Amino acid sequence: MKITKTLASIALLLLGCCVNAQVGTLSVSSAIEKGVSFPLFSFGDEVVMNDEFMRIFSKNKNDKSAPTKQEIYEYVDLYVKFKLKVKEAYALKMDTVPSFKQELAGYRKQLAQPYLTDKTVTERLVKEAYSRSQMEVSAAHLLINCAADAKPSDSLSAYEKIIGLRKRVVKGESFEAIASLYSEDPSVKTNKGDLGYFTVFQMIYPFEKAAFTTPVGEVSQPIRTRFGYHLVYVKDKRKTQGDVKVAHIAIQFNNPTQIDSTKERIDAVYAKLQAGADWNTTVEEFSEDFNTNSIGGELGWFNRTTPNIPAEFKNTAYELQNDGDYSMPVKTKFRWHILKRIEIKDKLSFDDSKDFLRRKVERDSRSELNKDVVVARIIKENNYQEVAGLDSVSKEIDASLLKGQFKKKKGKGIVLCKIGDRAYTDDYFYAYIATNQARSNKTLSSAIADIYESFVKQINLDFEEGQLEDKYEEFKYTMQEYRDGILLFELMDKEVWSKAVKDTAGLESFYSKNKAQYMWKERAVATVYSCSDTKTAKRAKKLVKKGKPTSMILDKCNAKDALSVSVNKKTIEKGTDKQLEGVQWAVGISELPFENSRIKFVEISEILPVSVKVLKENMGQATSDYQDYLEATWIEALKKSYPVEIYEENINRLYSH
């Protein structure tokens, strides 16, 4: 049972167990002498102070009520264990491993982004995104390929071609016909350029902008993306509806020859529902979606623009008027369905959705729109100064730059610019060019000016990012959480999670010593027969008594009606199945209560005695228990390496009495 790093980090954050082992810790003696706050517990030669503990405790407490004694002591126990593990990680110098440094740098880049954006621009983009989230656009598109580094002549040729095609559409030719003939998007062969309905964030930003700003029935001006030139033809716009949750009954067909026969079965199921059959029971007996037939056929939330859900399925779901209504059979690519509406959500208000939208905006390409605004601000804040500037080195850059082949050269130590007290020499600039250059169709002087401008932006952003811990306390603490979360994950994986999976001998020994915890109660191998009427039940029971195989019984009894008999074979522990309550626990046939207009009986073919569960059949639970054992043993060892002392008098000051 190995936990992924993402989930582990989240779990640690939720526990409030991700703060730096060094921040807020002093030697015990010095903490007491200085009298700055008071110590709660010590481990080894370090101590945790009340301000550090309460900051993390308060951050993760679900309500604002005063903490209770139980809450404080439970959290102290968690925090002691966390501190011991993190101290061990630092002792093992796991924070010096290159892979750790690289991973932490990646997280830092992500965390820094909100601090390197302009709030005014971001808020405008968030409001725009919310407005667009209220609409769904149906559009088609036409693409003429044009690489980002294409020659000016090739770009002009592609542009003139798409302009010519747009004129033909404006004059009345069918966009679908034009797209089918000329679009260079490979998907045009199957969709003729039709993209269906979509909403905000589902297309690249320039494409989205064209789709939402072009009136229905009109075609946009050409837009340029990294793929080339596009025309967007807007077919329809409609208001967004809330998310919907449905349940379904599914009957599978594997090829066109089975469509008619499976239609008979889904119609028969629909007729049962119309006659008053219970939905959940009908799902359990007849639905062939084996992931959902034990939970009433319930599916997750979706909406009208959710990808990978057939349009006919989504349309049917939204046509249902009330919770509890179910549809007539509807066919998708490989299944017949009957849908039942469970619930529909109203659209979220701006206040309820703005945080989610802000996160999306910050990760989306549209966030680039505020980079220039941010750079202009931090250039002033951080005292950026031109010194020798671009003119001092422009003659050192030759035409190889236009081919993206400029080779890094040794600089002369010329200071081009400064940010605060930090100087950036020609060496920095040449290194930047070598790493960030690309082919260009501009003149050499323009290409040099562009890359210098990009260089200035980047060094200012990098300088600002480098001082975020000093400027923003929240960022500093969050970075500590990520640092310790990654370290703790790696150490837990080594000492507990992966160790439990790889140490097969240790797991087997643990299982053997604790086998009393892994026992099967007495079990029965049972087959439940559900029959449409008394006559069918008598026939099925007669065949069962003769020892006929289940497949033969179904063939004979379902020859005229596909739903006459259904079977469910299971091995169950005594006292765990409500359906078999009151049934004689012995080999033989027993009647079951009449249910949902069906006659039912059960055949118990074998009684299995009390026995130890086979390890390979109980691997998940056994591995989890072994991990708990390994962690508990490890914690005890850490307490010996780093003795723990709890200052109960001080802890008692943290909760109301």
Side-chain angles (χ1 to χ4, degrees):
M1 191 187 74
K2 183 172 180 178
I3 302 175
T4 67
K5 184 167 293 189
T6 301
L7 291 177
S9 297
I10 291 173
L12 293 167
L13 288 168
L14 289 175
L15 283 174
C17 291
C18 288
V19 301
N20 188 358
Q22 311 306 319
V23 173
T25 59
L26 306 164
S27 70
V28 176
S29 58
S30 64
I32 296 173
E33 287 170 4
K34 287 184 177 181
V36 291
S37 65
F38 51 87
L40 297 183
F41 65 87
S42 63
F43 56 106
D45 62 350
E46 297 180 22
V47 65
V48 171
M49 310 302 290
N50 64 307
D51 50 356
E52 175 194 341
F53 176 83
M54 289 306 296
R55 177 175 62 81
I56 300 300
F57 176 83
S58 300
K59 177 180 177 180
N60 291 279
K61 195 174 187 300
N62 291 328
D63 58 62
K64 302 301 181 182
S65 62
T68 65
K69 178 179 180 179
Q70 181 180 350
E71 287 175 334
I72 290 292
Y73 272 92
E74 285 179 353
Y75 214 83
V76 167
D77 182 61
L78 286 173
Y79 207 50
V80 167
K81 292 174 181 176
F82 163 75
K83 283 292 191 179
L84 290 170
K85 294 171 187 175
V86 170
K87 186 171 180 64
E88 179 72 356
Y90 282 108
L92 294 172
K93 300 187 183 301
M94 294 177 68
D95 58 320
T96 65
V97 176
S99 60
F100 164 79
K101 291 182 177 181
Q102 182 178 0
E103 184 172 3
L104 184 63
Y107 281 118
R108 193 179 191 284
K109 280 287 183 187
Q110 296 176 40
L111 288 171
Q113 289 312 303
Y115 296 88
L116 301 175
T117 57
D118 183 86
K119 290 184 178 179
T120 302
V121 177
T122 298
E123 289 305 313
R124 176 175 63 79
L125 292 171
V126 169
K127 290 178 180 178
E128 176 188 78
Y130 179 76
S131 176
R132 291 179 180 174
S133 74
Q134 306 304 296
M135 297 296 295
E136 298 166 2
V137 179
S138 173
H141 90 127
L142 184 157
L143 169 67
I144 299 300
N145 291 326
C146 185
D149 60 352
K151 296 178 181 178
S153 58
D154 292 338
S155 294
L156 179 60
S157 176
Y159 182 77
E160 289 178 341
K161 183 176 181 180
I162 206 161
I163 281 290
L165 296 173
R166 183 180 185 277
K167 288 179 179 177
R168 291 173 62 177
V169 175
V170 170
K171 288 180 179 179
E173 290 191 54
S174 163
F175 186 91
E176 181 180 286
I178 295 291
S180 297
L181 288 172
Y182 299 105
S183 180
E184 294 170 358
D185 180 349
S187 68
V188 74
K189 295 178 181 178
T190 55
N191 64 16
K192 297 183 179 179
D194 188 7
L195 300 172
Y197 282 94
F198 55 88
T199 190
V200 66
F201 297 119
Q202 293 183 326
M203 299 291 175
I204 56 177
Y205 186 60
F207 195 100
E208 173 195 302
K209 183 177 180 180
F212 276 90
T213 57
T214 301
V216 173
E218 295 186 16
V219 63
S220 71
Q221 293 291 336
I223 57 170
R224 181 72 187 267
T225 71
R226 65 180 184 273
F227 304 108
Y229 289 100
H230 305 256
L231 294 178
V232 181
Y233 177 71
V234 178
K235 302 169 69 174
D236 186 30
K237 293 182 181 180
R238 66 188 184 188
K239 290 185 178 180
T240 301
Q241 294 187 23
D243 290 357
V244 67
K245 178 181 280 190
V246 301
H248 77 146
I249 297 171
I251 300 295
Q252 185 93 12
F253 55 83
N254 298 312
N255 56 66
T257 64
Q258 297 178 333
I259 292 176
D260 290 340
S261 60
T262 51
K263 178 66 162 62
E264 292 178 3
R265 292 170 60 197
I266 198 72
D267 284 344
V269 173
Y270 180 73
K272 290 183 68 64
L273 292 172
Q274 289 285 86
D278 175 72
W279 173 269
N280 287 350
T281 302
T282 306
V283 171
E284 185 174 4
E285 291 185 356
F286 302 114
S287 180
E288 294 175 357
D289 180 352
F290 301 110
N291 293 316
T292 66
N293 63 0
S294 63
I295 55 172
E298 190 168 310
L299 302 169
W301 291 95
F302 63 90
N303 57 52
R304 295 191 298 181
T305 62
T306 301
N308 303 320
I309 297 178
E312 54 268 38
F313 190 97
K314 290 188 284 190
N315 292 340
T316 301
Y318 278 94
E319 287 167 1
L320 297 171
Q321 297 298 307
N322 302 294
D323 295 349
D325 287 356
Y326 58 85
S327 71
M328 295 179 64
V330 57
K331 182 171 72 70
T332 59
K333 190 172 182 180
F334 296 113
R335 286 176 170 178
W336 288 99
H337 308 262
I338 298 173
L339 277 62
K340 176 184 176 183
R341 193 175 105 173
I342 304 297
E343 186 181 355
I344 193 164
K345 291 180 182 176
D346 291 333
K347 293 178 292 186
L348 292 177
S349 68
F350 176 73
D351 287 340
D352 289 336
S353 57
K354 63 183 179 182
D355 290 339
F356 166 77
L357 292 173
R358 182 175 292 106
R359 289 193 296 272
K360 294 282 286 185
V361 163
E362 288 168 352
R363 296 170 187 165
D364 188 69
S365 62
R366 70 196 72 201
S367 64
E368 293 295 316
L369 296 175
N370 64 23
K371 182 175 287 188
D372 289 343
V373 177
V374 173
V375 171
R377 172 178 61 81
I378 62 180
I379 277 177
K380 293 181 180 179
E381 288 181 0
N382 297 328
N383 192 26
Y384 169 81
Q385 304 172 57
E386 282 284 320
V387 184
L390 177 60
D391 290 343
S392 65
V393 293
S394 59
K395 293 180 180 179
E396 301 294 325
I397 305 168
D398 58 31
S400 62
L401 175 65
L402 300 178
K403 299 178 182 178
Q405 297 174 355
F406 177 82
K407 293 183 179 179
K408 180 182 175 182
K409 57 166 54 179
K410 183 174 177 58
K412 299 176 182 179
I414 301 171
V415 177
L416 304 183
C417 54
K418 295 178 71 175
I419 304 177
D421 296 329
R422 184 170 181 177
Y424 294 84
T425 66
D426 50 353
D427 276 311
Y428 280 95
F429 183 43
Y430 296 147
Y432 179 83
I433 295 174
T435 304
N436 296 277
Q437 63 186 322
R439 289 180 59 187
S440 174
N441 294 304
K442 297 184 177 181
T443 63
L444 179 59
S445 59
S446 294
I448 294 172
D450 285 349
I451 201 161
Y452 185 74
E453 181 183 359
S454 176
F455 168 72
V456 169
K457 288 181 181 179
Q458 194 59 54
I459 60 174
N460 275 280
L461 289 169
D462 290 344
F463 183 88
E464 177 72 2
E465 183 181 330
Q467 58 179 5
L468 290 177
E469 281 89 348
D470 297 329
K471 293 181 72 171
Y472 304 103
E473 189 175 75
E474 180 184 359
F475 182 83
K476 178 180 70 173
Y477 286 134
T478 303
M479 276 303 299
Q480 297 296 156
E481 292 170 359
Y482 272 89
R483 178 180 289 107
D484 292 344
I486 298 169
L487 285 176
L488 193 54
F489 176 92
E490 297 295 344
L491 192 56
M492 285 288 289
D493 191 49
K494 175 185 175 183
E495 297 292 338
V496 178
W497 299 325
S498 288
K499 185 175 182 179
V501 174
K502 295 175 182 178
D503 183 14
T504 53
L507 177 60
E508 289 172 357
S509 175
F510 172 81
Y511 197 80
S512 178
K513 291 176 182 177
N514 296 277
K515 59 185 178 182
Q517 300 178 29
Y518 307 112
M519 301 294 291
W520 285 117
K521 299 177 184 177
E522 192 175 60
R523 292 172 294 155
V525 179
T527 304
V528 175
Y529 291 82
S530 174
C531 307
S532 58
D533 51 48
T534 303
K535 182 178 179 181
T536 303
K538 287 181 179 179
R539 186 181 184 193
K541 194 179 300 182
K542 184 177 181 180
L543 292 169
V544 170
K545 289 179 178 179
K546 289 182 178 181
K548 300 299 182 183
T550 302
S551 58
M552 181 184 292
I553 296 172
L554 290 175
D555 286 344
K556 287 182 175 294
C557 294
N558 290 345
K560 294 183 179 180
D561 181 355
L563 304 180
S564 288
V565 176
S566 62
V567 299
N568 182 14
K569 188 171 183 178
K570 49 190 175 181
T571 300
I572 54 176
E573 285 186 303
K574 191 173 184 178
T576 62
D577 192 306
K578 290 184 178 180
Q579 191 176 36
L580 299 189
E581 286 180 1
V583 170
Q584 185 178 1
W585 203 257
V587 173
I589 297 174
S590 301
E591 302 293 335
L592 292 176
F594 184 77
E595 183 182 23
N596 196 32
S597 303
R598 305 282 288 186
I599 309 296
K600 297 187 177 185
F601 66 90
V602 61
E603 179 201 18
I604 295 180
S605 57
E606 185 179 4
I607 298 294
L608 304 175
V610 174
S611 61
V612 178
K613 295 179 180 178
V614 178
L615 174 57
K616 66 179 181 180
E617 296 176 349
N618 194 35
M619 190 63 73
Q621 182 62 51
T623 303
S624 177
D625 291 346
Y626 187 43
Q627 287 173 341
D628 292 342
Y629 166 77
L630 289 174
E631 183 174 7
T633 305
W634 180 39
I635 290 294
E636 291 306 309
L638 290 176
K639 286 181 178 179
K640 292 180 180 178
S641 298
Y642 314 111
V644 175
E645 185 175 356
I646 307 294
Y647 306 126
E648 292 197 20
E649 288 186 5
N650 285 341
I651 290 176
N652 291 339
R653 296 163 65 180
L654 301 180
Y655 60 87
S656 56
H657 296 268

